[in-house]
Amino acid sequence: MQRVLTANQMREAEKAAQEQHGMPSGLLMENAGRALAEAARSVSGPSGRFTVLCGPGNNGGDGLVAARFLLEGGCRVVVSLVGDTGKLTAEAKRNLQALEGFGESPRAFEALPEAGPGDVVVDALFGTGLKRAPEGVFADAIGTVARWRRAGAKVVAADVPSGLQSDTAEPFSPCVEADVTVAFGFVKPAHELEPGASLCGDVRRVDIGLGGESTRAVSGAELFRVEEKDAREAIPKRRADSHKGTYGHVLVVAGSPGKTGAAAMVALAALRSGAGLVTVATRAEALPWVMAHSPEIMGVALPGEGPLGKGDLEALKAALEGKDALVMGPGIPRGPETGALIGDLLASVEVPAVLDADALNAVAEDLKVLREAKGPVVLTPHPGEMARLWGRTTKDVQAHRVGVALNLATSLNCTVVLKGSRTLIAEAGGRVFINPTGNAGMATGGTGDVLSGVCGSLLAQGIPLPKAAWTAVYAHGLAGDLMAEQRGLMGLIATDLLVGLGHVWTRWQR
């Protein structure tokens, strides 16, 4: 796992490194500036010029150090201090003096030469502490950086592109769009979440001397980026003497006339993710259509007709006997009693449950029904479903994804998988995991059904939460990425992921 720090946590880590581990602040800046210079050199043309734009804060100090290292390397460098130079921090002032010792004095921003192909612009205007939209000369400078980038210059940002909010990944206007962003010490939410991740370009995390021990001093939510190694190692090795009972039995409560494909995709995803057995429970009129998708799917008919309600409780409890995980929601017929049914069912059984789609919409009417659940519960909402669960708008959800997911997980004592670009997995204990896999081709009906099947399958195989959830999300996204390489983004469909999962397991085979 790669730790992700907020702006405040980064300040706490730097303070701990200085006060508890004897790391001078000047050395942290020296290391950051050296790494920034190396990144700038890596994208320059053979005879390109380096334009370094520095603000008055420590981010500007990093830029001044980078300029000095570039000059030491024989590069052509021009530097501009943007804003009130009287507000330079002490470390930035020391590095300005060091730069002037090399015979380079900052120029007025208006007097800088134009930048184009082969040139590199180093953006060191603002760092992680930006709280409001850039104005005045700073806005003008960001606009000029955009013009130079359109003309062919490369832009390398120090820690975060100027104008981007480090904690929310939301850009102010204007905001720099970088080709490379050098993340100092630890990656930040802006590097991992959209739309910030796209504005950062190629994110390169560099060690500046903080050390892993410094994170012990930070407060607040713990954010992590899931790495492929983490997900691969979460999948247990299959024993030679195993059998279908070894790998669990998943009950899928899904489907209705016109939506039988949803149930089939959940079931097939569970099977393609290693479950030993999968049974679909649905109304009798829908069951033959579900089972027709694959002979490996077993089925049980729920008596009655119409929306699921309290009258279905005993049939569902009977269907859950001997099962190791429950997936409920995709395509179910929902009515006024469906939420209460789900609450009663979860309160009477201890198997782990994944709630998706219309199961989420049903419990959104009264979230208290989830608080009596005996077993672990995973909620897998997309932003619209999360808005109904949270009682806000989808726009609000997207603007506060980490906080919203964590709030719901802690308030309901469950695991929340907030789907979307860079899907989040939040646990009640206060940790949030950011998933880096997946692509825009997966924005098509049914991919969420596949995810719930993968998650249910891993739970049935005994992988605990939240590991089962973030492993399922990573594998699901990677399956989409591998299939997009073969079929492109435009034509990707949910059932392609069933093939992609096979590629994932082959890639991870041990």
Side-chain angles (χ1 to χ4, degrees), residues 183-231:
F184 299 145
F186 297 90
V187 292
K188 321 301 186 296
H191 302 137
E192 296 297 328
L193 305 176
E194 294 292 356
S198 293
L199 293 170
C200 289
D202 177 21
V203 177
R204 304 180 186 178
R205 188 191 71 82
V206 296
D207 180 16
I208 61 172
L210 291 176
E213 288 296 311
S214 63
T215 61
R216 295 181 182 274
V218 306
S219 58
E222 294 182 87
L223 274 68
F224 299 89
R225 182 185 194 268
V226 182
E227 304 287 348
E228 184 169 2
K229 178 176 180 289
D230 304 316

mmCIF file of all heavy atoms in Angstrom, residues 183-231:
data_model
loop_
_atom_site.group_PDB
_atom_site.id
_atom_site.type_symbol
_atom_site.label_atom_id
_atom_site.label_comp_id
_atom_site.label_asym_id
_atom_site.label_seq_id
_atom_site.Cartn_x
_atom_site.Cartn_y
_atom_site.Cartn_z
ATOM 1 N N ALA A 183 5.727 14.599 -6.760
ATOM 2 C CA ALA A 183 5.097 14.532 -5.437
ATOM 3 C C ALA A 183 6.180 14.376 -4.388
ATOM 4 O O ALA A 183 6.916 13.391 -4.383
ATOM 5 C CB ALA A 183 4.116 13.366 -5.378
ATOM 6 N N PHE A 184 6.287 15.336 -3.499
ATOM 7 C CA PHE A 184 7.355 15.347 -2.507
ATOM 8 C C PHE A 184 6.994 14.492 -1.299
ATOM 9 O O PHE A 184 6.044 14.781 -0.575
ATOM 10 C CB PHE A 184 7.643 16.776 -2.046
ATOM 11 C CG PHE A 184 8.105 17.701 -3.155
ATOM 12 C CD1 PHE A 184 7.730 19.038 -3.158
ATOM 13 C CD2 PHE A 184 8.909 17.238 -4.183
ATOM 14 C CE1 PHE A 184 8.149 19.885 -4.166
ATOM 15 C CE2 PHE A 184 9.339 18.086 -5.196
ATOM 16 C CZ PHE A 184 8.955 19.410 -5.190
ATOM 17 N N GLY A 185 7.753 13.449 -1.080
ATOM 18 C CA GLY A 185 7.576 12.605 0.101
ATOM 19 C C GLY A 185 6.467 11.580 -0.025
ATOM 20 O O GLY A 185 6.707 10.371 0.023
ATOM 21 N N PHE A 186 5.254 12.056 -0.162
ATOM 22 C CA PHE A 186 4.078 11.186 -0.267
ATOM 23 C C PHE A 186 3.143 11.745 -1.338
ATOM 24 O O PHE A 186 3.124 12.952 -1.584
ATOM 25 C CB PHE A 186 3.331 11.105 1.072
ATOM 26 C CG PHE A 186 4.130 10.495 2.180
ATOM 27 C CD1 PHE A 186 4.920 11.283 3.005
ATOM 28 C CD2 PHE A 186 4.105 9.121 2.393
ATOM 29 C CE1 PHE A 186 5.674 10.723 4.021
ATOM 30 C CE2 PHE A 186 4.856 8.551 3.416
ATOM 31 C CZ PHE A 186 5.646 9.351 4.225
ATOM 32 N N VAL A 187 2.369 10.857 -1.950
ATOM 33 C CA VAL A 187 1.349 11.338 -2.875
ATOM 34 C C VAL A 187 0.213 11.963 -2.067
ATOM 35 O O VAL A 187 0.003 11.651 -0.892
ATOM 36 C CB VAL A 187 0.818 10.221 -3.798
ATOM 37 C CG1 VAL A 187 1.876 9.762 -4.765
ATOM 38 C CG2 VAL A 187 0.273 9.055 -2.985
ATOM 39 N N LYS A 188 -0.522 12.856 -2.717
ATOM 40 C CA LYS A 188 -1.622 13.578 -2.091
ATOM 41 C C LYS A 188 -2.924 13.160 -2.777
ATOM 42 O O LYS A 188 -2.907 12.597 -3.885
ATOM 43 C CB LYS A 188 -1.424 15.094 -2.238
ATOM 44 C CG LYS A 188 0.010 15.599 -2.079
ATOM 45 C CD LYS A 188 0.626 15.274 -0.758
ATOM 46 C CE LYS A 188 2.003 15.925 -0.573
ATOM 47 N NZ LYS A 188 3.043 15.485 -1.490
ATOM 48 N N PRO A 189 -4.072 13.450 -2.159
ATOM 49 C CA PRO A 189 -5.339 13.116 -2.817
ATOM 50 C C PRO A 189 -5.449 13.693 -4.228
ATOM 51 O O PRO A 189 -6.023 13.047 -5.112
ATOM 52 C CB PRO A 189 -6.379 13.724 -1.870
ATOM 53 C CG PRO A 189 -5.742 13.647 -0.524
ATOM 54 C CD PRO A 189 -4.287 13.938 -0.770
ATOM 55 N N ALA A 190 -4.903 14.874 -4.451
ATOM 56 C CA ALA A 190 -4.975 15.484 -5.782
ATOM 57 C C ALA A 190 -4.273 14.666 -6.848
ATOM 58 O O ALA A 190 -4.612 14.744 -8.032
ATOM 59 C CB ALA A 190 -4.374 16.897 -5.745
ATOM 60 N N HIS A 191 -3.285 13.865 -6.443
ATOM 61 C CA HIS A 191 -2.580 13.017 -7.407
ATOM 62 C C HIS A 191 -3.372 11.770 -7.759
ATOM 63 O O HIS A 191 -3.162 11.175 -8.817
ATOM 64 C CB HIS A 191 -1.236 12.574 -6.831
ATOM 65 C CG HIS A 191 -0.326 13.697 -6.454
ATOM 66 N ND1 HIS A 191 0.398 13.700 -5.281
ATOM 67 C CD2 HIS A 191 -0.036 14.861 -7.076
ATOM 68 C CE1 HIS A 191 1.114 14.809 -5.209
ATOM 69 N NE2 HIS A 191 0.857 15.533 -6.285
ATOM 70 N N GLU A 192 -4.276 11.376 -6.866
ATOM 71 C CA GLU A 192 -4.949 10.089 -7.004
ATOM 72 C C GLU A 192 -6.408 10.185 -7.423
ATOM 73 O O GLU A 192 -6.955 9.237 -7.974
ATOM 74 C CB GLU A 192 -4.865 9.330 -5.673
ATOM 75 C CG GLU A 192 -3.448 8.971 -5.254
ATOM 76 C CD GLU A 192 -2.777 8.029 -6.227
ATOM 77 O OE1 GLU A 192 -3.468 7.202 -6.841
ATOM 78 O OE2 GLU A 192 -1.550 8.122 -6.392
ATOM 79 N N LEU A 193 -7.059 11.286 -7.129
ATOM 80 C CA LEU A 193 -8.485 11.437 -7.410
ATOM 81 C C LEU A 193 -8.705 12.353 -8.602
ATOM 82 O O LEU A 193 -7.921 13.278 -8.847
ATOM 83 C CB LEU A 193 -9.211 11.999 -6.176
ATOM 84 C CG LEU A 193 -9.048 11.223 -4.871
ATOM 85 C CD1 LEU A 193 -9.750 11.960 -3.739
ATOM 86 C CD2 LEU A 193 -9.603 9.813 -5.015
ATOM 87 N N GLU A 194 -9.783 12.118 -9.318
ATOM 88 C CA GLU A 194 -10.137 12.995 -10.422
ATOM 89 C C GLU A 194 -10.988 14.165 -9.918
ATOM 90 O O GLU A 194 -11.673 14.032 -8.899
ATOM 91 C CB GLU A 194 -10.910 12.213 -11.501
ATOM 92 C CG GLU A 194 -10.091 11.152 -12.205
ATOM 93 C CD GLU A 194 -8.994 11.709 -13.087
ATOM 94 O OE1 GLU A 194 -8.891 12.944 -13.230
ATOM 95 O OE2 GLU A 194 -8.223 10.909 -13.633
ATOM 96 N N PRO A 195 -10.924 15.312 -10.622
ATOM 97 C CA PRO A 195 -10.207 15.563 -11.868
ATOM 98 C C PRO A 195 -8.735 15.908 -11.698
ATOM 99 O O PRO A 195 -8.009 16.089 -12.671
ATOM 100 C CB PRO A 195 -10.972 16.743 -12.461
ATOM 101 C CG PRO A 195 -11.469 17.495 -11.279
ATOM 102 C CD PRO A 195 -11.808 16.459 -10.237
ATOM 103 N N GLY A 196 -8.279 15.982 -10.444
ATOM 104 C CA GLY A 196 -6.902 16.380 -10.208
ATOM 105 C C GLY A 196 -5.885 15.470 -10.852
ATOM 106 O O GLY A 196 -4.879 15.938 -11.399
ATOM 107 N N ALA A 197 -6.121 14.156 -10.799
ATOM 108 C CA ALA A 197 -5.146 13.211 -11.334
ATOM 109 C C ALA A 197 -4.838 13.489 -12.798
ATOM 110 O O ALA A 197 -3.677 13.398 -13.235
ATOM 111 C CB ALA A 197 -5.654 11.786 -11.158
ATOM 112 N N SER A 198 -5.852 13.847 -13.568
ATOM 113 C CA SER A 198 -5.633 14.132 -14.993
ATOM 114 C C SER A 198 -4.848 15.423 -15.194
ATOM 115 O O SER A 198 -4.106 15.565 -16.174
ATOM 116 C CB SER A 198 -6.976 14.220 -15.722
ATOM 117 O OG SER A 198 -7.619 12.959 -15.758
ATOM 118 N N LEU A 199 -5.005 16.383 -14.274
ATOM 119 C CA LEU A 199 -4.280 17.656 -14.382
ATOM 120 C C LEU A 199 -2.823 17.504 -13.956
ATOM 121 O O LEU A 199 -1.987 18.336 -14.319
ATOM 122 C CB LEU A 199 -4.960 18.722 -13.525
ATOM 123 C CG LEU A 199 -6.358 19.150 -13.979
ATOM 124 C CD1 LEU A 199 -7.025 20.020 -12.923
ATOM 125 C CD2 LEU A 199 -6.276 19.885 -15.305
ATOM 126 N N CYS A 200 -2.515 16.453 -13.206
ATOM 127 C CA CYS A 200 -1.147 16.243 -12.735
ATOM 128 C C CYS A 200 -0.251 15.601 -13.780
ATOM 129 O O CYS A 200 0.975 15.664 -13.676
ATOM 130 C CB CYS A 200 -1.149 15.372 -11.487
ATOM 131 S SG CYS A 200 -1.806 16.188 -10.013
ATOM 132 N N GLY A 201 -0.840 14.933 -14.773
ATOM 133 C CA GLY A 201 -0.022 14.222 -15.752
ATOM 134 C C GLY A 201 0.667 13.031 -15.117
ATOM 135 O O GLY A 201 0.081 12.290 -14.331
ATOM 136 N N ASP A 202 1.926 12.847 -15.443
ATOM 137 C CA ASP A 202 2.718 11.735 -14.908
ATOM 138 C C ASP A 202 3.177 12.103 -13.500
ATOM 139 O O ASP A 202 3.992 13.001 -13.310
ATOM 140 C CB ASP A 202 3.927 11.488 -15.821
ATOM 141 C CG ASP A 202 4.845 10.397 -15.298
ATOM 142 O OD1 ASP A 202 4.386 9.581 -14.483
ATOM 143 O OD2 ASP A 202 6.013 10.368 -15.722
ATOM 144 N N VAL A 203 2.643 11.414 -12.490
ATOM 145 C CA VAL A 203 2.995 11.704 -11.100
ATOM 146 C C VAL A 203 4.216 10.869 -10.705
ATOM 147 O O VAL A 203 4.212 9.648 -10.829
ATOM 148 C CB VAL A 203 1.817 11.401 -10.146
ATOM 149 C CG1 VAL A 203 2.238 11.637 -8.691
ATOM 150 C CG2 VAL A 203 0.624 12.265 -10.502
ATOM 151 N N ARG A 204 5.248 11.569 -10.231
ATOM 152 C CA ARG A 204 6.476 10.901 -9.812
ATOM 153 C C ARG A 204 6.722 11.202 -8.336
ATOM 154 O O ARG A 204 7.075 12.328 -7.976
ATOM 155 C CB ARG A 204 7.663 11.363 -10.653
ATOM 156 C CG ARG A 204 7.465 11.169 -12.151
ATOM 157 C CD ARG A 204 8.670 11.639 -12.945
ATOM 158 N NE ARG A 204 8.422 11.572 -14.380
ATOM 159 C CZ ARG A 204 9.301 11.962 -15.301
ATOM 160 N NH1 ARG A 204 10.494 12.423 -14.927
ATOM 161 N NH2 ARG A 204 9.006 11.880 -16.591
ATOM 162 N N ARG A 205 6.510 10.208 -7.506
ATOM 163 C CA ARG A 205 6.754 10.399 -6.073
ATOM 164 C C ARG A 205 8.240 10.269 -5.792
ATOM 165 O O ARG A 205 8.899 9.332 -6.254
ATOM 166 C CB ARG A 205 5.981 9.370 -5.250
ATOM 167 C CG ARG A 205 6.030 9.636 -3.749
ATOM 168 C CD ARG A 205 5.498 8.464 -2.955
ATOM 169 N NE ARG A 205 6.411 7.321 -2.994
ATOM 170 C CZ ARG A 205 7.482 7.187 -2.214
ATOM 171 N NH1 ARG A 205 7.797 8.143 -1.351
ATOM 172 N NH2 ARG A 205 8.241 6.109 -2.301
ATOM 173 N N VAL A 206 8.776 11.214 -5.037
ATOM 174 C CA VAL A 206 10.200 11.188 -4.708
ATOM 175 C C VAL A 206 10.378 11.265 -3.193
ATOM 176 O O VAL A 206 9.615 11.916 -2.480
ATOM 177 C CB VAL A 206 10.960 12.344 -5.384
ATOM 178 C CG1 VAL A 206 10.906 12.206 -6.895
ATOM 179 C CG2 VAL A 206 10.420 13.701 -4.949
ATOM 180 N N ASP A 207 11.397 10.588 -2.709
ATOM 181 C CA ASP A 207 11.734 10.615 -1.291
ATOM 182 C C ASP A 207 12.537 11.880 -1.004
ATOM 183 O O ASP A 207 13.547 12.147 -1.666
ATOM 184 C CB ASP A 207 12.555 9.375 -0.944
ATOM 185 C CG ASP A 207 12.950 9.307 0.519
ATOM 186 O OD1 ASP A 207 12.351 10.052 1.328
ATOM 187 O OD2 ASP A 207 13.849 8.512 0.846
ATOM 188 N N ILE A 208 12.092 12.673 -0.032
ATOM 189 C CA ILE A 208 12.826 13.890 0.317
ATOM 190 C C ILE A 208 13.425 13.804 1.720
ATOM 191 O O ILE A 208 13.944 14.794 2.236
ATOM 192 C CB ILE A 208 11.933 15.146 0.196
ATOM 193 C CG1 ILE A 208 10.730 15.058 1.146
ATOM 194 C CG2 ILE A 208 11.492 15.344 -1.252
ATOM 195 C CD1 ILE A 208 9.921 16.343 1.218
ATOM 196 N N GLY A 209 13.321 12.618 2.348
ATOM 197 C CA GLY A 209 13.935 12.438 3.647
ATOM 198 C C GLY A 209 12.975 12.399 4.816
ATOM 199 O O GLY A 209 13.402 12.450 5.972
ATOM 200 N N LEU A 210 11.687 12.279 4.536
ATOM 201 C CA LEU A 210 10.719 12.240 5.633
ATOM 202 C C LEU A 210 10.739 10.914 6.376
ATOM 203 O O LEU A 210 10.649 10.859 7.592
ATOM 204 C CB LEU A 210 9.302 12.512 5.104
ATOM 205 C CG LEU A 210 9.026 13.925 4.604
ATOM 206 C CD1 LEU A 210 7.625 14.014 4.035
ATOM 207 C CD2 LEU A 210 9.201 14.924 5.742
ATOM 208 N N GLY A 211 10.838 9.835 5.631
ATOM 209 C CA GLY A 211 10.840 8.515 6.260
ATOM 210 C C GLY A 211 9.453 8.069 6.658
ATOM 211 O O GLY A 211 8.577 8.890 6.962
ATOM 212 N N GLY A 212 9.236 6.763 6.647
ATOM 213 C CA GLY A 212 7.924 6.219 6.963
ATOM 214 C C GLY A 212 7.489 6.476 8.390
ATOM 215 O O GLY A 212 6.302 6.568 8.694
ATOM 216 N N GLU A 213 8.451 6.617 9.315
ATOM 217 C CA GLU A 213 8.115 6.825 10.721
ATOM 218 C C GLU A 213 7.389 8.146 10.938
ATOM 219 O O GLU A 213 6.637 8.288 11.904
ATOM 220 C CB GLU A 213 9.386 6.787 11.574
ATOM 221 C CG GLU A 213 9.996 5.416 11.727
ATOM 222 C CD GLU A 213 9.075 4.462 12.475
ATOM 223 O OE1 GLU A 213 8.572 4.833 13.545
ATOM 224 O OE2 GLU A 213 8.859 3.344 11.978
ATOM 225 N N SER A 214 7.618 9.108 10.060
ATOM 226 C CA SER A 214 7.001 10.430 10.243
ATOM 227 C C SER A 214 5.488 10.371 10.138
ATOM 228 O O SER A 214 4.787 11.224 10.687
ATOM 229 C CB SER A 214 7.562 11.424 9.225
ATOM 230 O OG SER A 214 7.237 11.035 7.905
ATOM 231 N N THR A 215 4.953 9.360 9.447
ATOM 232 C CA THR A 215 3.504 9.281 9.289
ATOM 233 C C THR A 215 2.809 8.829 10.562
ATOM 234 O O THR A 215 1.589 8.961 10.679
ATOM 235 C CB THR A 215 3.117 8.322 8.147
ATOM 236 O OG1 THR A 215 3.597 7.005 8.446
ATOM 237 C CG2 THR A 215 3.709 8.789 6.821
ATOM 238 N N ARG A 216 3.566 8.302 11.520
ATOM 239 C CA ARG A 216 2.959 7.889 12.786
ATOM 240 C C ARG A 216 2.395 9.074 13.552
ATOM 241 O O ARG A 216 1.533 8.920 14.416
ATOM 242 C CB ARG A 216 3.984 7.152 13.650
ATOM 243 C CG ARG A 216 4.465 5.833 13.068
ATOM 244 C CD ARG A 216 5.451 5.177 14.006
ATOM 245 N NE ARG A 216 5.965 3.925 13.470
ATOM 246 C CZ ARG A 216 5.371 2.745 13.600
ATOM 247 N NH1 ARG A 216 4.234 2.668 14.260
ATOM 248 N NH2 ARG A 216 5.909 1.656 13.080
ATOM 249 N N ALA A 217 2.900 10.275 13.240
ATOM 250 C CA ALA A 217 2.482 11.474 13.978
ATOM 251 C C ALA A 217 1.269 12.163 13.372
ATOM 252 O O ALA A 217 0.757 13.126 13.955
ATOM 253 C CB ALA A 217 3.649 12.466 14.032
ATOM 254 N N VAL A 218 0.799 11.683 12.216
ATOM 255 C CA VAL A 218 -0.273 12.411 11.547
ATOM 256 C C VAL A 218 -1.631 12.006 12.103
ATOM 257 O O VAL A 218 -1.821 10.882 12.576
ATOM 258 C CB VAL A 218 -0.241 12.201 10.018
ATOM 259 C CG1 VAL A 218 1.131 12.551 9.461
ATOM 260 C CG2 VAL A 218 -0.629 10.791 9.628
ATOM 261 N N SER A 219 -2.574 12.941 12.038
ATOM 262 C CA SER A 219 -3.931 12.707 12.530
ATOM 263 C C SER A 219 -4.907 12.663 11.364
ATOM 264 O O SER A 219 -4.567 12.995 10.233
ATOM 265 C CB SER A 219 -4.328 13.823 13.500
ATOM 266 O OG SER A 219 -4.237 15.090 12.867
ATOM 267 N N GLY A 220 -6.141 12.271 11.655
ATOM 268 C CA GLY A 220 -7.176 12.242 10.625
ATOM 269 C C GLY A 220 -7.264 10.906 9.925
ATOM 270 O O GLY A 220 -6.607 9.923 10.296
ATOM 271 N N ALA A 221 -8.099 10.853 8.894
ATOM 272 C CA ALA A 221 -8.343 9.613 8.151
ATOM 273 C C ALA A 221 -7.066 9.103 7.502
ATOM 274 O O ALA A 221 -6.208 9.884 7.072
ATOM 275 C CB ALA A 221 -9.416 9.846 7.086
ATOM 276 N N GLU A 222 -6.941 7.786 7.442
ATOM 277 C CA GLU A 222 -5.807 7.163 6.774
ATOM 278 C C GLU A 222 -6.198 6.815 5.343
ATOM 279 O O GLU A 222 -7.112 6.032 5.121
ATOM 280 C CB GLU A 222 -5.384 5.904 7.515
ATOM 281 C CG GLU A 222 -4.819 6.140 8.902
ATOM 282 C CD GLU A 222 -4.372 4.841 9.546
ATOM 283 O OE1 GLU A 222 -3.215 4.421 9.339
ATOM 284 O OE2 GLU A 222 -5.204 4.230 10.240
ATOM 285 N N LEU A 223 -5.482 7.391 4.385
ATOM 286 C CA LEU A 223 -5.726 7.122 2.974
ATOM 287 C C LEU A 223 -4.578 6.305 2.411
ATOM 288 O O LEU A 223 -3.407 6.568 2.717
ATOM 289 C CB LEU A 223 -5.859 8.426 2.175
ATOM 290 C CG LEU A 223 -7.235 9.084 2.111
ATOM 291 C CD1 LEU A 223 -7.642 9.616 3.478
ATOM 292 C CD2 LEU A 223 -7.228 10.225 1.097
ATOM 293 N N PHE A 224 -4.927 5.329 1.568
ATOM 294 C CA PHE A 224 -3.929 4.476 0.944
ATOM 295 C C PHE A 224 -4.264 4.282 -0.533
ATOM 296 O O PHE A 224 -5.437 4.250 -0.913
ATOM 297 C CB PHE A 224 -3.880 3.096 1.613
ATOM 298 C CG PHE A 224 -3.508 3.119 3.056
ATOM 299 C CD1 PHE A 224 -4.490 3.256 4.030
ATOM 300 C CD2 PHE A 224 -2.190 3.005 3.449
ATOM 301 C CE1 PHE A 224 -4.160 3.276 5.379
ATOM 302 C CE2 PHE A 224 -1.847 3.016 4.793
ATOM 303 C CZ PHE A 224 -2.836 3.161 5.760
ATOM 304 N N ARG A 225 -3.243 4.132 -1.331
ATOM 305 C CA ARG A 225 -3.397 3.754 -2.736
ATOM 306 C C ARG A 225 -3.111 2.261 -2.851
ATOM 307 O O ARG A 225 -2.059 1.784 -2.437
ATOM 308 C CB ARG A 225 -2.416 4.531 -3.609
ATOM 309 C CG ARG A 225 -2.519 4.243 -5.100
ATOM 310 C CD ARG A 225 -1.407 4.991 -5.828
ATOM 311 N NE ARG A 225 -1.604 5.047 -7.261
ATOM 312 C CZ ARG A 225 -1.128 4.160 -8.130
ATOM 313 N NH1 ARG A 225 -0.449 3.113 -7.686
ATOM 314 N NH2 ARG A 225 -1.334 4.311 -9.419
ATOM 315 N N VAL A 226 -4.056 1.517 -3.401
ATOM 316 C CA VAL A 226 -3.879 0.068 -3.552
ATOM 317 C C VAL A 226 -2.901 -0.192 -4.697
ATOM 318 O O VAL A 226 -3.024 0.376 -5.784
ATOM 319 C CB VAL A 226 -5.223 -0.624 -3.843
ATOM 320 C CG1 VAL A 226 -5.022 -2.132 -3.950
ATOM 321 C CG2 VAL A 226 -6.234 -0.301 -2.751
ATOM 322 N N GLU A 227 -1.931 -1.042 -4.446
ATOM 323 C CA GLU A 227 -0.969 -1.437 -5.471
ATOM 324 C C GLU A 227 -1.302 -2.840 -5.963
ATOM 325 O O GLU A 227 -1.930 -3.635 -5.244
ATOM 326 C CB GLU A 227 0.452 -1.415 -4.895
ATOM 327 C CG GLU A 227 0.866 -0.087 -4.285
ATOM 328 C CD GLU A 227 1.132 0.984 -5.325
ATOM 329 O OE1 GLU A 227 1.224 0.634 -6.523
ATOM 330 O OE2 GLU A 227 1.230 2.164 -4.956
ATOM 331 N N GLU A 228 -0.865 -3.160 -7.172
ATOM 332 C CA GLU A 228 -1.186 -4.474 -7.729
ATOM 333 C C GLU A 228 -0.641 -5.599 -6.853
ATOM 334 O O GLU A 228 -1.294 -6.640 -6.680
ATOM 335 C CB GLU A 228 -0.645 -4.604 -9.153
ATOM 336 C CG GLU A 228 -1.032 -5.926 -9.799
ATOM 337 C CD GLU A 228 -0.747 -5.988 -11.286
ATOM 338 O OE1 GLU A 228 -0.196 -5.013 -11.836
ATOM 339 O OE2 GLU A 228 -1.108 -7.024 -11.904
ATOM 340 N N LYS A 229 0.519 -5.399 -6.273
ATOM 341 C CA LYS A 229 1.112 -6.417 -5.405
ATOM 342 C C LYS A 229 0.179 -6.728 -4.229
ATOM 343 O O LYS A 229 0.036 -7.894 -3.836
ATOM 344 C CB LYS A 229 2.463 -5.919 -4.895
ATOM 345 C CG LYS A 229 3.181 -6.862 -3.928
ATOM 346 C CD LYS A 229 4.546 -6.288 -3.567
ATOM 347 C CE LYS A 229 5.303 -7.202 -2.608
ATOM 348 N NZ LYS A 229 4.703 -7.181 -1.254
ATOM 349 N N ASP A 230 -0.461 -5.701 -3.679
ATOM 350 C CA ASP A 230 -1.376 -5.916 -2.553
ATOM 351 C C ASP A 230 -2.542 -6.804 -2.962
ATOM 352 O O ASP A 230 -2.910 -7.739 -2.249
ATOM 353 C CB ASP A 230 -1.923 -4.568 -2.060
ATOM 354 C CG ASP A 230 -0.827 -3.591 -1.688
ATOM 355 O OD1 ASP A 230 0.130 -4.018 -1.025
ATOM 356 O OD2 ASP A 230 -0.930 -2.416 -2.060
ATOM 357 N N ALA A 231 -3.148 -6.482 -4.110
ATOM 358 C CA ALA A 231 -4.304 -7.242 -4.564
ATOM 359 C C ALA A 231 -3.912 -8.664 -4.951
ATOM 360 O O ALA A 231 -4.607 -9.633 -4.623
ATOM 361 C CB ALA A 231 -4.969 -6.529 -5.739
#
